[in-house]
């Protein structure tokens, strides 16, 4: 469950960043860069701040 939420939130942030860059200011693309770098580092380190936050909120990894 956490993994699906992380992917959804990352997708929302990237799409929002692209829309803001197009309609407001090109510097909003840095948000997409940050999300991409965070996803890449979490693939290697297995540390994701959003997963940690979701764990504190009581979201489980799998439904049993």
């Amino acid at each position: 469950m956490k993994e699906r939420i992380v992917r959804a939130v990352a997708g929302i942030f990237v799409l929002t960043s692209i829309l803001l860059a197009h309609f407001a200011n090109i510097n909003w693309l840095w948000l997409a860069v940050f999300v991409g770098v965070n996803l890449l580092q979490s693939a290697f380190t297995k540390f994701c701040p959003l997963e940690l936050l979701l764990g504190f909120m009581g979201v489980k990894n799998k439904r049993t």
Side-chain angles (χ1 to χ4, degrees), residues 20-55:
L20 286 169
H22 180 73
F23 291 111
N25 187 331
I26 194 72
N27 287 323
W28 279 104
L29 287 177
W30 286 108
L31 177 61
V33 170
F34 172 76
V35 172
V37 168
N38 192 23
L39 287 170
L40 185 63
Q41 72 81 24
S42 70
F44 292 105
T45 64
K46 299 205 173 37
F47 172 75
C48 177
L50 182 56
E51 279 189 16
L52 188 64
L53 181 64
L54 291 171

Side-chain angles (χ1 to χ4, degrees), residues 6-27:
V6 169
R7 288 179 181 179
V9 170
I12 288 168
F13 272 106
V14 169
L15 291 174
T16 301
S17 170
I18 292 168
L19 287 172
L20 286 169
H22 180 73
F23 291 111
N25 187 331
I26 194 72
N27 287 323

